Amino acid sequence: MGEILETLREALQQAKSVAVLTGAGISAESGIPTFRGPGGLWRNYSPQELATPEAFARDPRLVWEWYDWRRGLIAKAQANAGHLALAGLERQIAQVGGRFTLVTQNVDGLHDRAGSRNIRKLHGDIWLLRCVGCGREERNEQVPLTALPPRCTCGGLLRPGVVWFGEPLPLEEWGRAVQASRNAEIFLAIGTSAVVYPAAGLMEVAKEAGARLAVVNAEPTPFDADADWILTGRAGEILPRLL
Ligand code: BJW
Ligand code: ZN
């Protein structure tokens, strides 16, 4: 892996435009469970059963218990060497006048805490609450929440400000992510199983527009066949070596 890492590091040093897509795997080393694979289950539910508007309509309290538990883990967690390396890469590329966009599927805010600036959040933010009645949004960092499910001042149910299956992604964030992927000379996919769309489709967008693709993941992904670099292992160990 040493030589592959070396060529990617050199390519990143010369690139004028880099886009990155991160998934739950980058936060795994901060102690936050991923969605799929071992450790992805909460009680006896798979995330795919809980991260849906139908699950929330059926049992808002159950869905909120899961989010409350995750909010507790995230509040105690810290950004790891992988998050920090991406913030460093952004500074390195900015110094030579290049463009850097960090597109994340994560809702944990650890990229913000690590110092990344140009972040596009495709799946929302776990610290935002939105009223299903009046649509009002509020930031709430209380851990644990005092009442479950929480309610809006209008009496309506509050839901997490995240994107569930079957829901559209935030338009502005998605537009910026597509634009960055089209413009990227190098596209880095990190810690994502790359099975959830449309996020995973950004790799196709980038590849079709001529980007070279690097995949950093603990296990193989569906995009390995298209990748110019495959780095298998922990993001927190691999990413610092790219700087
Ligand atoms: C490490 C590591 C370490 C571990 N280092 N690596 C067929 C084709 C295309 C689309 C569809 C389709 N069928 C259905 C759809 C739609 C659906 C979809 O994609 N489903 C597929 C699963 C089949 N998509 C949607 O519904 C999306 N919306 C949509 O399409 O809207 C259309 C629409 C338009 C107009 C009007 C209305 C609708 C929305 C998707 C929303 C996804 N939401 C979630 C929850 C977010 C909130 C929350 O956090 O609770 O997003 S689900 C969950 O999956 C979460 C994640 O962001 C997302 C992706 O998961 P991720 O990040 O890849 O995590 P894992 O766990 O899967 O993978 C981690 C990886 O890391 C693993 O590979 C590990 O090996 C690795 N790893 N440790 C490096 N240390
Ligand atoms: Zn309301």
Side-chain angles (χ1 to χ4, degrees):
M1 186 157 76
E3 207 173 304
I4 298 174
L5 213 131
E6 189 89 347
T7 63
L8 178 55
R9 181 167 58 219
E10 278 164 20
L12 286 170
Q13 271 162 6
Q14 276 147 29
K16 286 271 168 284
S17 176
V18 174
V20 177
L21 173 69
T22 63
I26 196 164
S27 294
E29 289 158 76
S30 294
I32 300 169
T34 60
F35 292 93
R36 293 163 191 85
L41 283 185
W42 173 77
R43 298 193 191 160
N44 279 321
Y45 302 93
S46 69
Q48 293 90 307
E49 291 175 88
L50 295 164
T52 72
E54 292 77 22
F56 188 72
R58 202 183 310 125
D59 195 344
R61 192 190 166 94
L62 175 75
V63 172
W64 262 119
E65 280 174 18
W66 180 51
Y67 278 94
D68 203 33
W69 171 72
R70 290 174 56 203
R71 284 162 57 103
L73 293 177
I74 293 165
K76 278 186 286 177
Q78 283 182 349
N80 66 54
H83 298 108
L84 293 170
L86 289 179
L89 184 61
E90 179 170 10
R91 287 191 292 270
Q92 179 183 302
I93 290 169
Q95 259 167 20
V96 295
R99 284 180 294 185
F100 180 93
T101 306
L102 176 49
V103 182
T104 188
Q105 302 168 81
N106 299 346
V107 300
D108 57 31
L110 289 182
H111 286 305
D112 306 77
R113 282 203 246 161
S116 286
R117 305 298 296 273
N118 189 22
I119 308 173
R120 300 294 157 191
K121 293 181 186 167
L122 296 185
H123 294 162
D125 183 332
I126 202 164
W127 303 112
L128 281 182
L129 272 51
R130 189 168 69 245
C131 177
V132 300
C134 71
R136 193 178 61 84
E137 278 198 343
E138 64 179 53
R139 212 176 162 75
N140 176 318
E141 299 189 358
Q142 192 175 41
V143 170
L145 286 162
T146 41
L148 289 182
R151 293 213 171 249
C152 177
T153 46
C154 83
L157 269 181
L158 289 165
R159 58 163 283 177
V162 301
V163 181
W164 285 326
F165 286 114
E167 296 183 325
L169 274 53
L171 200 61
E172 162 93 17
E173 299 294 278
W174 174 246
R176 300 277 182 173
V178 171
Q179 195 180 30
S181 305
R182 280 210 190 103
N183 291 333
E185 282 166 43
I186 301 180
F187 188 100
L188 268 167
I190 303 164
T192 177
S193 59
V195 297
V196 173
Y197 280 78
L202 292 173
M203 293 202 238
E204 292 156 29
V205 169
K207 194 73 197 176
E208 275 161 24
R212 285 185 288 167
L213 178 65
V215 174
V216 178
N217 209 62
E219 59 182 8
T221 78
F223 288 91
D224 288 7
D226 302 319
D228 299 273
W229 295 274
I230 302 171
L231 296 160
T232 306
R234 291 160 159 258
E237 287 164 14
I238 294 169
L239 296 178
R241 296 169 63 195
L242 287 176
L243 284 173

